[in-house]
């Protein structure tokens, strides 16, 4: 069997910047130890120099700028390890699961290999190069800046800062070179485990890829087990391959021919009437353990296992009766309205992300009523932990290959072959996961080719990668999943961002245009990215800003702010708050900004989500930009910040995404109430709707019994706009009530908030057993109970309608403290 020697742990590392330090000295057995520091493997060099005290915490203040010398160096890692004599008698390999980025590997003073892609492992045969006993392994790493110094940048569709880093040439997460929502921090390190492997067997097991399929009638599950085996002899040999699903009492063994080199051997199993895997909210997440084992000449070579789920996925793109095509995700013959956000790496120093962090961030997605996360093309092929947690929790995954917002040099043969290896490795790695339902080639590059001038300069250098190379790989490696070449993407020769087909990135709101009432007019088939900016949680805001800089537009603020802030003068996001509230951001304290900015962002994201949800299934998603952060920000698109705290907008999104909901909308000269029910059973209750005056009173107050059919949005009631007479002093509302309990409620205003005729709030807060009752004779807007975001709150940033008490569950003996109210009342 294959044997292993773990090479993780404490290595030694030294720096060189081309003037000071000499990397080649790390290849010597004897070297000046004073020039080295301890470096953890797996790890990343910023963490080591931070631990050493050479840099300060790069996440706070402006320390990230002072740490940039780290990425401008070559880092040489080294360690001694003892090799048992048996490892020198057969075949042997060094296996690096992750190197970031440009690596030269040296064994006992002899260069044995190079590697330049952080997205797939580096495996080097060292047969005949090991010594029994002590060996020296050295790895020289460049984050990429030296490697691309002479590479072209003009005409490649990337920003001005790319002249420094030329990210499009470097196969690592693109966001680490800086994005509007993240600083630049170029990772360097041996980022994943390292081991020595050896064997005297005639074959070596490489990878196990189980491809699960479910018949359209949901009655028959099939597992196609693909075991990739490297034949180590000159001629083929025979073996026996066994595939087993113990829980289903299924097992089969076949004879296989094991050819020289790396090749798959396959066997299939059928499971009758399997228990199904469903997305959250639609059923359970049943998974089966599948084991594959291989023997040669009656001796077991090894085994691999994986967990699979049976589900039938179909992307419906039939003709729409009005225009274009539908884009509906159907799972197990049930249409699924998908709700979620765009997922970016959970840390800008990628090896810091552990299972605990992924567990928390996916739990928060469930709390926000998500059922899908889009893995954006400028980040990562995420860790095995992430996909396992999504499988377990029923969170669907839209997975992009890691290319975003630029043009890539695929016409370069070495680059093409590297990304082909990258794609093949990750397809095989992720194919077992039932949560993964869609592969996508890239983020916004097809849109750029149509609309952003990508036909200038270097013309379409990467088109064949997404329309030929990757589709061919998927047809071979994972044929059962839907693929599209880019996001957004539309079929039938339409503009990639056309509303009537494919998926959309509706960015006509959120940057220059901050009038988010325009969301109400959008009728997209599958909105996949769009949003507005707002603050993070108050503790995170303060962590960004050292004492003396805790004011808007301080230097530290600007470093941690979203770069969209600087795209226009006056600042677009500053103007959004002025436009909606009449308040000047520059005159606010940090706490005031956190409230008012969060209140407005929450209103905007609510409008985005609810507009698309009410159009179910003419529109089939509400996916916004973006869900989480990779570093602390003073202003971001997110509802979960870097420290995994809920931002002020979190509560509004959670309510907008709840499975049973009500939406009030204007359609031409009517006010229409929509009932949304994502459950598999119909809902029966009472609809209460009408008009309220801000100063008090309900000039229109109707009730009627309603039934909400399962998995649908229906019009429940309507009335003419002419009944809504004084729109600057009133709003419309709707509530769903069952057995005297309000289960959903909503309201609609037409003017900007600053243009409403606000009344003075008269809020009463009364604590009862296990609940708190909020009431007022006048309308009260945006009641804030928490800005910290550390713990769940039963409700936050909520309203009280005139004369209609609002009850929230409350377990604490201490009455909640109202921190802010949004009424723009002028004395």
């Amino acid at each position: 069997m294959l044997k292993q020697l773990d090479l993780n742990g404490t290595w030694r590392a030294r720096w060189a910047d081309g003037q000071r330090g000499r990397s080649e000295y790390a290849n010597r057995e004897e070297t000046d130890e004073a020039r080295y520091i301890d470096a953890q493997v797996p790890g990343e060099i910023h963490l080591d120099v931070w631990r050493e005290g050479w840099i300060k915490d790069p996440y706070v203040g402006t320390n990230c700028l002072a740490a940039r010398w780290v990425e401008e160096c070559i880092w040489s890692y080294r360690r001694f390890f003892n090799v048992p004599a048996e490892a020198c008698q057969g075949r042997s390999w060094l296996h690096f699961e992750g190197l970031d980025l440009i690596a030269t590997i040296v064994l006992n003073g002899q260069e044995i290999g190079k590697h330049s892609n952080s997205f797939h492992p580096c495996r080097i045969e060292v047969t005949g190069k090991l010594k029994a006993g002590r060996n020296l392994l050295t790895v020289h790493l460049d984050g990429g800046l030296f490697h691309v110094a002479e590479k072209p940048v003009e005409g490649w569709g990337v920003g001005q800062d790319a002249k420094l880093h030329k990210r499009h040439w470097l196969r690592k997460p693109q966001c680490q070179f800086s994005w509007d929502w993240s600083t630049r921090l170029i990772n360097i390190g041996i980022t994943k485990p390292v081991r020595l492997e050896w064997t005297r067997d005639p074959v070596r097991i490489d990878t196990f890829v189980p491809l699960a399929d479910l018949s359209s009638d949901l009655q028959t599950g099939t597992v196609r087990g693909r075991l990739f085996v490297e034949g180590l002899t000159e001629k083929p040999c025979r073996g026996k391959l066994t595939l087993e699903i113990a829980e289903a009492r299924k097992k089969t063994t076949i004879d296989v021919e094991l050819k020289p080199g790396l090749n798959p051997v396959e066997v299939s199993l059928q499971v009758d009437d399997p228990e199904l895997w469903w997305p959250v909210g639609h059923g359970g997440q049943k998974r089966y353990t599948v084991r594959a084992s291989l023997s040669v000449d009656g001796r077991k070579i090894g085994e691999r296992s994986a967990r699979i789920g049976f589900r039938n996925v179909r992307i419906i793109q039939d003709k729409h009766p009005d225009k274009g095509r539908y884009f509906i995700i159907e799972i197990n013959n049930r249409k699924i309205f998908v709700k979620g956000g765009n997922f970016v790496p959970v840390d800008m120093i990628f090896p810091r992300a552990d299972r605990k962090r992924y567990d928390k961030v996916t739990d928060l997605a469930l709390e926000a009523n998500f059922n899908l996360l889009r893995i954006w093309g400028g980040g990562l092929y995420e860790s095995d932990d992430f996909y396992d947690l999504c499988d377990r929790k029923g969170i669907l995954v839209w997975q992009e290959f890691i290319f975003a917002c630029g043009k890539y040099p695929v016409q370069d043969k070495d680059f093409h072959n590297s990304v082909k290896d990258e794609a093949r490795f990750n397809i095989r790695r992720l194919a077992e996961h039932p949560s993964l339902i869609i592969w996508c080639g890239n983020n916004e590059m097809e849109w750029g080719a149509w609309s952003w001038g990508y036909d200038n300069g270097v013309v379409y250098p990467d088109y064949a990668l997404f329309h030929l190379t990757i589709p061919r790989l998927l047809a071979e490696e994972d044929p059962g999943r839907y693929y599209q070449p880019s996001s957004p993407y539309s079929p039938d020769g339409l503009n990639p961002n056309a509303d009537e087909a494919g998926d959309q990135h509706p960015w006509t709101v959120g940057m220059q245009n901050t009038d988010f009432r325009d969301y109400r007019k959008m009728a997209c088939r599958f909105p996949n990215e769009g949003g507005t900016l707002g603050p993070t949680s108050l503790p995170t805001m303060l962590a960004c800003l050292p004492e003396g800089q805790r004011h808007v537009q301080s230097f530290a603020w600007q470093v941690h702010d979203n770069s969209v802030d600087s795209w226009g003068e006056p600042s677009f996001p500053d103007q959004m708050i002025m436009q909606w509230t009449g308040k000047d951001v520059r005159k606010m304290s940090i706490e005031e900004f956190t409230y008012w900015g969060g209140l407005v962002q929450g209103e905007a994201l609510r409008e985005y989500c609810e507009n698309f949800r009410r159009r179910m299934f003419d529109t089939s998603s509400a996916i916004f930009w973006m869900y989480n952060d990779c570093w602390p920000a003073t202003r971001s698109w997110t509802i979960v910040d870097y420290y995994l705290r809920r931002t002020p907008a979190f509560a509004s999104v959670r309510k907008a995404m709840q499975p049973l909901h009500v939406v009030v909308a204007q359609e031409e000269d009517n006010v229409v109430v929509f009932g949304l029910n994502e459950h598999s059973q119909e809902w029966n209750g009472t609809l209460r709707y009408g008009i309220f005056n801000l100063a008090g009173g309900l000039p229109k107050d109707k009730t009627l019994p309603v039934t909400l059919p399962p998995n649908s949005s229906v019009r429940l009631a309507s009335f003419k706009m002419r009944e809504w007479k004084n729109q600057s002093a009133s709003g419309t509302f709707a509530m769903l009530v069952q057995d005297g309990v309000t289960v959903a409620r909503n309201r609609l205003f037409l003017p900007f908030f600053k243009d409403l005729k606000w009344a003075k709030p008269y809020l009463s807060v009364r604590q009862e057993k296990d609940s708190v009752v909020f009431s007022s004779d006048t309308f009260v807007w945006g009641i804030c109970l928490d800005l910290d975001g550390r713990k769940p709150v039963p409700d936050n940033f909520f309203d009280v309608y005139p004369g209609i008490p609002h009850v929230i569950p409350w377990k604490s003996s201490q009455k909640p403290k109202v921190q802010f109210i949004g009424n723009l009342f002028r004395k």
Side-chain angles (χ1 to χ4, degrees):
M1 296 182 71
L2 189 73
K3 295 185 178 181
Q4 299 182 355
L5 177 65
D6 187 328
L7 299 180
N8 300 323
T10 302
W11 291 45
R12 299 284 283 169
R14 66 183 290 166
W15 65 279
D17 64 4
Q19 184 68 33
R20 291 170 175 78
R22 293 292 183 268
S23 299
E24 63 270 21
Y25 291 168
N27 300 335
R28 300 176 174 179
E29 289 227 2
E30 299 295 329
T31 188
D32 184 355
E33 281 295 324
R35 300 182 183 274
Y36 293 80
I37 62 171
D38 286 346
Q40 295 305 306
V41 173
E44 197 278 336
I45 200 64
H46 287 85
L47 301 177
D48 301 310
V49 298
W50 180 7
R51 193 179 300 112
E52 196 71 18
W54 292 2
I55 64 172
K56 295 181 180 179
D57 183 347
Y59 296 85
V60 301
T62 58
N63 295 336
C64 61
L65 303 180
R68 285 191 174 168
W69 66 270
V70 177
E71 67 196 37
E72 297 169 1
C73 294
I74 302 280
W75 291 90
S76 299
Y77 286 68
R78 59 183 260 145
R79 69 158 291 167
F80 290 98
F81 63 103
N82 290 316
V83 174
E86 65 172 318
C88 301
Q89 296 170 4
R91 299 280 292 273
S92 54
W93 303 265
L94 281 167
H95 188 90
F96 298 85
E97 291 189 22
L99 293 169
D100 198 351
L101 177 65
I102 309 301
T104 301
I105 299 98
V106 178
L107 178 64
N108 297 323
Q110 177 187 356
E111 181 179 318
I112 58 171
K114 293 181 179 292
H115 194 68
S116 59
N117 193 315
S118 70
F119 296 131
H120 69 84
C122 171
R123 186 175 183 83
I124 303 171
E125 184 161 4
V126 291
T127 303
K129 298 175 182 177
L130 293 168
K131 301 182 296 184
R134 185 163 128 135
N135 290 254
L136 173 62
L137 178 60
T138 309
V139 181
H140 304 285
L141 287 165
D142 161 24
L145 298 183
F146 288 87
H147 179 72
V148 297
E150 298 180 1
K151 298 291 188 183
V153 66
E154 297 293 342
W156 287 90
V158 287
Q160 184 178 7
D161 58 322
K163 294 179 179 179
L164 294 173
H165 52 68
K166 302 175 184 178
R167 67 171 175 86
H168 54 295
W169 286 94
L170 299 173
R171 293 314 298 147
K172 60 194 301 182
Q174 300 291 273
C175 59
Q176 67 178 238
F177 298 99
S178 180
W179 223 264
D180 63 280
W181 39 269
S182 177
T183 191
R184 189 180 85 223
L185 193 143
I186 301 175
N187 285 203
I188 304 172
I190 303 174
T191 56
K192 294 179 181 179
V194 186
R195 60 185 178 269
L196 173 69
E197 298 179 351
W198 69 92
T199 188
R200 299 182 69 180
D201 292 334
V203 298
R204 177 189 68 85
I205 297 176
D206 186 79
T207 307
F208 175 46
V209 183
L211 299 175
D213 189 30
L214 181 65
S215 61
S216 59
D217 64 4
L218 314 183
Q219 298 302 304
T220 306
T222 303
V223 179
R224 177 185 169 201
R226 307 183 78 209
L227 192 69
F228 289 84
V229 180
E230 183 179 8
L232 303 176
T233 56
E234 292 184 1
K235 296 182 179 180
C237 62
R238 304 295 298 179
K240 289 187 179 295
L241 174 63
T242 299
L243 191 67
E244 180 180 16
I245 306 175
E247 187 175 350
R249 298 182 179 179
K250 294 288 184 177
K251 183 177 181 179
T252 188
T253 300
I254 63 169
D255 293 325
V256 292
E257 182 182 48
L258 304 169
K259 300 176 182 178
L262 186 63
N263 298 283
V265 289
E266 297 188 13
V267 61
S268 294
L269 274 179
Q270 183 172 300
V271 178
D272 296 327
D273 195 22
E275 193 173 342
L276 305 186
W277 186 95
W278 289 92
V280 62
H282 293 271
Q285 288 76 49
K286 174 63 181 178
R287 289 188 289 168
Y288 292 84
T289 299
V290 184
R291 285 187 173 84
S293 60
L294 180 69
S295 62
V296 174
D297 295 330
R299 188 165 57 86
K300 187 173 182 178
I301 299 296
E303 74 172 31
R304 297 286 188 273
S305 66
R307 302 193 73 191
I308 56 96
F310 291 110
R311 81 284 185 275
N312 182 282
V313 180
R314 189 165 71 103
I315 309 302
I316 300 172
Q317 297 192 75
D318 299 339
K319 291 283 187 180
H320 192 279
D322 293 335
K323 188 178 183 182
R325 295 180 180 271
Y326 289 100
F327 192 106
I328 301 171
I329 295 173
E330 182 185 83
I331 298 180
N332 302 336
N333 300 334
R334 182 184 302 170
K335 295 177 181 178
I336 308 295
F337 188 96
V338 295
K339 305 173 298 182
N342 282 255
F343 193 87
V344 302
V346 295
D347 205 298
M348 67 177 180
I349 300 179
F350 305 112
R352 295 188 85 191
D354 57 14
R355 187 176 180 92
K356 182 179 179 181
R357 190 164 178 81
Y358 283 119
D359 195 22
K360 174 74 172 185
V361 78
T362 49
D363 275 351
L364 286 167
L366 294 179
E367 185 182 330
N369 290 308
F370 283 17
N371 61 13
L372 181 142
L373 292 168
R374 174 185 174 228
I375 310 303
W376 169 74
L380 284 168
Y381 305 97
E382 282 294 348
S383 77
D384 293 337
D385 284 331
F386 170 81
Y387 299 100
D388 179 65
L389 289 163
C390 287
D391 288 349
R392 182 164 64 85
K393 298 177 183 183
I395 299 172
L396 301 171
V397 174
W398 171 300
Q399 176 68 54
E400 295 182 358
F401 292 89
I402 305 305
F403 303 89
C405 300
K407 293 181 278 186
Y408 289 82
V410 181
Q411 84 289 350
D412 180 281
K413 183 177 180 181
D414 289 340
F415 188 94
H416 173 268
N417 290 341
S418 177
V419 298
K420 187 176 180 180
D421 289 343
E422 162 195 325
R424 180 185 290 109
F425 169 77
N426 283 288
I427 293 167
R428 290 177 181 175
R429 178 173 73 93
L430 302 182
E432 71 185 64
H433 293 286
S435 58
L436 175 56
I437 58 167
I438 287 177
W439 288 107
C440 177
N442 65 68
N443 174 74
E444 296 187 342
M445 291 165 58
E446 193 103 355
W447 192 12
W450 276 68
S451 305
W452 301 351
Y454 282 12
D455 52 347
N456 297 318
V458 183
V459 180
Y460 308 147
D462 44 34
Y463 190 83
L465 176 65
F466 307 112
H467 290 265
L468 184 63
T469 301
I470 290 177
R472 281 180 171 177
L473 280 174
L474 286 165
E476 179 183 347
E477 304 285 354
D478 190 17
R481 281 187 177 88
Y482 172 83
Y483 168 78
Q484 65 180 47
S486 188
S487 177
Y489 181 77
S490 297
D492 304 328
L494 296 170
N495 183 293
N497 206 30
D499 285 341
E500 65 267 27
D503 71 314
Q504 294 76 37
H505 293 192
W507 276 117
T508 53
V509 176
M511 296 183 191
Q512 292 92 332
N513 176 19
T514 54
D515 185 352
F516 49 77
R517 293 175 300 185
D518 288 349
Y519 283 137
R520 301 171 185 175
K521 308 168 190 174
M522 292 183 181
C524 305
R525 292 287 176 250
F526 196 90
N528 216 357
E529 180 185 319
T532 53
L533 287 162
T536 54
S537 68
L538 182 58
T540 299
M541 297 284 294
L542 297 175
C544 296
L545 308 173
E547 293 290 345
Q549 294 203 51
R550 290 186 168 174
H551 58 272
V552 177
Q553 291 300 331
S554 69
F555 181 49
W557 172 287
Q558 293 175 45
V559 168
H560 287 266
D561 199 358
N562 191 283
S563 72
V564 171
D565 170 70
S566 61
W567 292 6
E569 290 189 2
S571 154
F572 300 146
D574 282 3
Q575 282 299 107
M576 179 171 72
I577 296 176
M578 174 65 78
Q579 177 186 36
W580 280 93
T581 69
K583 291 182 174 290
D584 187 348
V585 167
R586 307 295 174 87
K587 295 179 180 179
M588 293 181 183
S589 67
I590 299 303
E591 185 177 21
E592 289 169 337
F593 171 81
T594 304
Y595 172 72
W596 288 106
L599 181 61
V600 172
Q601 184 193 25
E603 292 282 354
L605 291 177
R606 180 183 68 82
E607 294 274 9
Y608 179 97
C609 297
E610 291 177 349
N611 169 67
F612 296 127
R613 290 193 66 203
R614 75 179 177 87
R615 300 174 189 272
M616 173 185 186
F617 282 96
D618 289 326
T619 297
S620 299
S621 71
I623 303 168
F624 65 88
W625 183 265
M626 59 192 199
Y627 171 54
N628 64 302
D629 273 321
C630 72
W631 92 307
T634 50
R635 186 155 37 192
S636 190
W637 308 100
T638 59
I639 64 167
V640 171
D641 67 29
Y642 169 72
Y643 295 108
L644 304 186
R645 300 170 182 142
R646 302 157 185 83
T647 74
F650 182 95
S652 296
V653 169
R654 183 187 66 188
K655 287 179 280 193
M657 297 289 209
Q658 65 190 39
L660 188 70
H661 198 32
V662 63
V663 175
V664 188
Q666 179 187 359
E667 289 196 342
E668 297 179 345
D669 62 345
N670 293 298
V671 175
V672 182
V673 178
F674 293 85
L676 284 58
N677 178 18
E678 293 177 0
H679 297 298
S680 59
Q681 302 295 322
E682 71 177 22
W683 182 88
N684 295 285
T686 300
L687 170 68
R688 183 180 183 184
Y689 71 101
I691 300 170
F692 61 80
N693 291 326
L694 293 174
L698 302 172
K700 185 179 183 68
D701 186 11
K702 299 286 187 181
T703 61
L704 72 157
V706 292
T707 296
L708 274 59
N711 207 29
S712 64
S713 169
V714 294
R715 297 165 70 104
L716 298 178
S718 66
F719 58 90
K720 293 295 183 182
M721 286 291 295
R722 62 176 178 267
E723 296 184 51
W724 189 1
K725 298 185 183 302
N726 192 354
Q727 296 169 5
S728 64
S730 61
T732 61
F733 75 98
M735 305 166 63
L736 294 177
V737 181
Q738 188 177 61
D739 299 327
V741 176
T742 300
V743 297
R745 62 193 194 120
N746 218 328
R747 43 79 176 162
L748 173 68
F749 292 118
L750 295 185
F752 291 115
F753 298 127
K754 67 180 175 60
D755 296 328
L756 292 169
K757 296 177 181 177
W758 291 93
K760 185 176 181 180
Y762 293 96
L763 183 64
S764 167
V765 182
R766 184 178 77 255
Q767 188 163 10
E768 298 182 350
K769 183 181 179 181
D770 295 333
S771 66
V772 174
V773 180
F774 297 82
S775 58
S776 174
D777 291 336
T778 60
F779 177 81
V780 185
W781 177 43
I783 298 168
C784 172
L785 303 182
D786 177 71
L787 288 175
D788 285 356
R790 292 186 175 97
K791 297 179 180 179
V793 180
D795 203 356
N796 202 21
F797 286 82
F798 58 89
D799 306 333
V800 171
Y801 305 161
I804 305 176
H806 181 58
V807 182
I808 67 171
W810 194 261
K811 301 295 185 183
S812 173
S813 59
Q814 188 173 0
K815 189 165 70 172
K817 179 184 177 183
V818 174
Q819 298 186 16
F820 284 92
I821 288 174
N823 288 37
L824 299 168
F825 174 73
R826 294 174 178 84
K827 297 181 181 179

